Amino acid sequence: MNFIEPLLNWYRKNARALPWRKTRDAYRIWISEIMLQQTRVEAVKFYYARFLAACPDVYALAAIDDDALNKLWEGLGYYTRARNLKKTAQVVVSEFDGVLPKSDETLLTLPGIGAYTAGAVASIAYNIPVPAVDGNVLRVMARLFDDPAPIDDAHVKQRVRDTLLLHMPKDCPGAFNQAMMELGATVCVPNGAPHCDVCPVSAFCLSKQNGTQDALPVKSAKKPRRIEEKTVFVLTKNGCPVVCQRPDRGLLASLFQLPDTAGRLSPEQMAAFVGDRGGHITGEIRIYDRRHIFTHVEWRMRVFSAEASFSVLPDGWQYLTENHALPTAYRICLDEPEAAGGAT
Ligand code: SF4
């Protein structure tokens, strides 16, 4: 693959100075790669610094309290990532003397570490020649080879991985993987608008030669998201809302939530929901709508918000404190319509 040298030269001159690029420490690289999977680079910078201040090494992460971990992750979403970080840290402490394994195959056996993360950690921290194939790399490869195969197909991903494994430079696999990702993130960008005029590998790009780059990559048709309607209760005491813990399985498992129930209740049914739990509404009632989109499901929420008093809070209910992590899907329900610019 003749494009490798121009790509690496370009990367050496143009790589963004990102905090996790200043280190070869496997722990730090692993944390950054997990955070970056679903979150924008700019947002990750803040979370990365705060996370490392609280958990500077794998021992601190293995021992962190679950609520403190969720609080560190609050706003990043996909909380399973945080839970798996802690699980993996515990395995690394108990089975690998506190050092992330130096083999991508062993890394792959750890909770939350898939082929991409194993490749990134192994190549960047340990210089092991193994590809790290994320969405950026799949897009670049589809365009470079003018390949119309759907990039979300597992066989296509494996083919791309095999091709890269065969050709990647064995002396600098970490730089090569990062260069591919950087090209995808900053030059060969998605949504039909690659910056081919400044691309270091344009001379080797088949889709540019064929004028097909705007139509690539191809993705399979997605299943439509499931819509779930629910009613969410913001029941406050001196402005502080009641929360309870979610079941330990499924979406947002074990995290805190505002009390809710399936379906869109009428105002009478909402008042009955509170009354049935021993509550008395003591302030103005506000009802508004909120919407939150997860990967496979969309919540359409009717929010009932009011000051309420309880002689005794129902089992499992408590008032929100600054130590509780409240997922964004519920946190947006705390914003009243005026503050949020109307129902969403
Ligand atoms: Fe992407 Fe254009 Fe570069 Fe090809 S020439 S790799 S389409 S930016």
Side-chain angles (χ1 to χ4, degrees):
M1 294 204 286
N2 295 331
F3 68 85
I4 290 174
E5 212 41 53
L7 174 70
L8 287 171
N9 286 337
W10 168 83
Y11 180 67
R12 286 182 197 112
K13 288 186 203 131
N14 294 282
R16 289 168 294 173
L18 302 173
W20 43 90
R21 287 191 176 151
K22 294 181 187 146
T23 182
R24 298 289 295 273
D25 180 76
Y27 172 74
R28 288 170 177 250
I29 290 164
W30 167 52
I31 299 295
S32 70
E33 290 298 344
I34 297 293
M35 284 186 173
L36 285 163
Q37 279 170 22
Q38 310 281 352
T39 313
R40 289 176 305 108
V41 165
E42 281 312 307
V44 167
K45 285 181 186 171
F46 164 77
Y47 282 97
Y48 176 75
R50 190 178 67 168
F51 194 95
L52 290 178
C55 298
D57 57 36
V58 75
Y59 295 96
L61 176 54
I64 193 171
D65 171 77
D66 286 346
D67 286 346
L69 177 63
N70 288 334
K71 191 69 192 167
L72 281 174
W73 210 262
E74 186 180 32
L76 273 173
Y78 300 95
Y79 284 80
T80 309
R81 291 183 293 169
R83 275 194 292 280
N84 281 334
L85 278 177
K86 179 174 169 179
K87 279 189 207 158
T88 284
Q90 290 172 331
V91 176
V92 169
V93 166
S94 63
E95 293 182 25
F96 298 100
D97 285 336
V99 180
L100 276 153
K102 294 188 170 124
S103 136
D104 61 303
E105 285 166 7
T106 313
L107 284 166
L108 267 173
T109 65
L110 298 171
I113 296 193
Y116 166 75
T117 310
V121 173
S123 65
I124 299 168
Y126 298 136
N127 225 26
I128 297 170
V130 53
V133 178
D134 70 352
N136 284 320
V137 173
L138 287 167
R139 181 171 60 257
V140 170
M141 290 292 279
R143 287 174 173 162
L144 268 173
F145 291 94
D146 197 8
D147 184 349
I151 59 167
D152 47 355
D153 181 298
H155 298 291
V156 175
K157 280 187 199 170
Q158 189 55 50
R159 178 154 52 76
V160 169
R161 211 171 280 129
D162 292 344
T163 305
L164 288 168
L165 184 59
L166 203 60
H167 295 285
M168 67 193 302
K170 304 299 180 272
D171 55 338
C172 57
F176 173 74
N177 283 337
Q178 290 183 90
M180 287 291 283
M181 290 187 253
E182 188 78 348
L183 188 73
T186 63
V187 177
C188 194
V189 292
N191 302 325
H195 308 307
C196 303
D197 48 334
V198 294
C199 177
V201 300
S202 61
F204 309 94
C205 179
L206 294 180
S207 74
K208 177 162 186 291
Q209 281 174 31
N210 298 335
T212 55
Q213 66 271 55
D214 289 357
L216 294 171
V218 171
K219 291 185 187 167
S220 319
K222 274 194 187 148
K223 273 202 265 174
R225 275 195 194 91
R226 193 174 76 252
I227 307 280
E228 276 183 16
E229 298 211 322
K230 54 173 64 209
T231 302
V232 176
F233 293 85
V234 180
L235 302 173
T236 55
K237 180 179 172 187
N238 301 323
C240 185
V242 162
V243 291
C244 51
Q245 202 150 15
R246 290 181 63 76
D248 57 8
R249 287 181 173 274
L251 192 62
L252 305 177
S254 303
L255 296 172
F256 284 97
Q257 65 161 89
L258 299 166
D260 66 8
T261 188
R264 277 168 83 85
L265 301 192
S266 67
E268 295 73 26
Q269 290 170 317
M270 292 171 176
F273 179 96
V274 180
D276 289 348
R277 286 156 182 79
H280 301 280
I281 304 301
T282 57
E284 183 194 346
I285 294 171
R286 294 165 300 274
I287 295 175
Y288 45 91
D289 292 337
R290 289 289 177 266
R291 192 165 66 104
H292 188 76
I293 294 174
F294 298 92
T295 307
H296 301 297
V297 62
E298 175 179 330
W299 282 1
R300 294 193 182 157
M301 298 172 283
R302 173 128 282 201
V303 183
F304 176 98
S305 172
E307 282 274 307
S309 76
F310 292 85
S311 47
V312 182
L313 281 177
D315 256 4
W317 289 23
Q318 57 188 295
Y319 287 102
L320 183 72
T321 71
E322 59 183 22
N323 297 325
H324 291 123
L326 191 64
T328 303
Y330 289 104
R331 196 161 280 284
I332 57 174
C333 297
L334 301 180
D335 295 333
E336 294 194 5
E338 300 78 12
T344 56

